């Protein structure tokens, strides 16, 4: 649990906040918004809880190479009948404007580091896109027919197109993207880039 005087954590009390505690990152600091009625002991408990949850969420959103490979295997089994079996799946900083790349001859897949932190359903789409290239090197009808099995294909493509447009227009990477509902969630989430929780009248988790 971070100490109460930790300068990297700011606690904001609100009389209008009665049922929820929320935490998010802002300008390099962690903000925890709590009900004004909380005691100092409840504040310390909830700050520790929410800081830990926010850190865990951020870790899930930035999986390792091994986790990418494991997720690719899950996606292949679920949507491609297990037919796409990559030899490796890794993050890459050498993708230029591409979201990912696949080399069918040796089964390697590289995923752009730019999508690290994007919603899981977007990461899943990029992984599936590259996995499908192991089966269909081009972008013909058979390729897209395979991808249509993934329910968030169109939304993920729209997300990536909007993201790229924002970068081209503003010249900077957007500061925040929607957070996932959970580890490798299939459910789109339009919530804030943070975590929240419900509380009972006595300040305990609901």
């Amino acid at each position: 649990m971070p100490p109460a005087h930790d300068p990297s954590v700011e606690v904001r009390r609100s009389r209008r906040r009665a049922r929820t505690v929320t935490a998010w990152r802002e300008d390099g600091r962690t903000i925890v918004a709590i009900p004004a009625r909380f005691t100092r002991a409840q504040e310390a408990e909830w700050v520790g809880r929410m800081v830990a949850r926010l850190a865990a969420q951020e870790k899930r959103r930035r999986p390792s190479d091994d986790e990418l490979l494991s997720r690719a295997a899950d996606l292949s089994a679920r949507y491609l009948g297990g037919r796409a079996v990559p030899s490796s799946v890794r993050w890459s900083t050498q993708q230029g404007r591409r979201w990912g790349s696949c080399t069918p001859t040796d089964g390697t897949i590289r995923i752009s580091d730019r999508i690290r932190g994007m919603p899981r359903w977007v990461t899943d789409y990029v992984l599936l896109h590259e996995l499908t290239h192991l089966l269909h090197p081009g972008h013909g009808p058979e390729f897209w027919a395979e991808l249509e099995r993934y329910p968030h294909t169109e939304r993920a493509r729209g997300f990536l197109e909007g993201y790229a447009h924002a970068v081209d227009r503003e010249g900077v990477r957007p500061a925040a993207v929607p957070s996932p509902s959970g580890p490798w969630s299939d459910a789109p989430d339009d919530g804030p880039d943070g975590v929240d929780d419900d509380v009972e009248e006595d300040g305990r988790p609901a």
Side-chain angles (χ1 to χ4, degrees):
M1 177 185 301
H5 61 274
D6 187 341
S8 68
V9 179
E10 176 184 339
V11 178
R12 297 179 183 176
R13 290 174 173 263
S14 172
R15 295 186 181 279
R16 293 177 295 179
R17 181 179 292 273
R19 299 284 299 175
T20 61
V21 175
T22 304
W24 67 94
R25 306 292 191 200
E26 182 179 292
D27 297 328
R29 307 181 71 193
T30 301
I31 310 300
V32 183
I34 63 174
R37 63 183 171 81
F38 271 16
T39 66
R40 291 300 178 186
Q42 289 171 334
E43 174 185 321
E45 176 185 356
W46 277 98
V47 167
R49 179 192 301 273
M50 300 305 283
V51 167
R53 285 188 58 190
L54 190 58
Q57 181 194 73
E58 291 174 341
K59 182 178 179 181
R60 290 195 301 266
R61 291 171 59 185
R62 292 165 173 80
S64 66
D65 287 349
D66 288 343
E67 289 169 326
L68 273 185
L69 180 59
S70 177
R71 183 54 176 175
D74 291 342
L75 291 169
S76 177
R78 183 170 182 178
Y79 297 105
L80 301 173
R83 292 171 293 142
V85 183
S87 59
S88 68
V89 183
R90 298 184 181 184
W91 293 108
S92 171
T93 59
Q94 307 297 319
Q95 296 300 300
R97 296 177 62 86
R98 296 178 300 181
W99 301 116
S101 63
C102 171
T103 306
T105 54
D106 62 12
T108 59
I109 288 176
R110 298 294 178 265
I111 303 298
S112 173
D113 192 66
R114 291 183 299 152
I115 73 168
R116 241 177 172 167
M118 288 186 181
R120 290 302 183 210
W121 45 275
V122 176
T123 305
D124 278 358
Y125 165 74
V126 175
L127 280 170
L128 267 171
H129 186 109
E130 301 310 329
L131 284 168
T132 305
H133 277 311
L134 292 176
L135 307 177
H136 308 285
H139 289 99
E142 292 182 341
F143 174 89
W144 293 110
E146 299 274 13
L147 272 183
E148 284 178 0
R149 299 174 186 175
Y150 181 60
H152 308 305
T153 290
E154 291 304 317
R155 186 173 185 185
R157 292 182 67 190
F159 181 100
L160 292 170
E161 289 172 3
Y163 183 98
H165 176 73
V167 171
D168 288 343
R169 182 175 180 180
E170 304 296 334
V172 297
R173 176 173 176 164
V177 296
S179 60
S181 300
W184 300 113
S185 173
D186 285 323
D189 186 340
D190 292 321
D193 194 30
V195 294
D196 60 13
D197 204 346
D198 293 328
V199 299
E200 296 284 9
E201 290 301 320
D202 61 2
R204 295 179 303 179

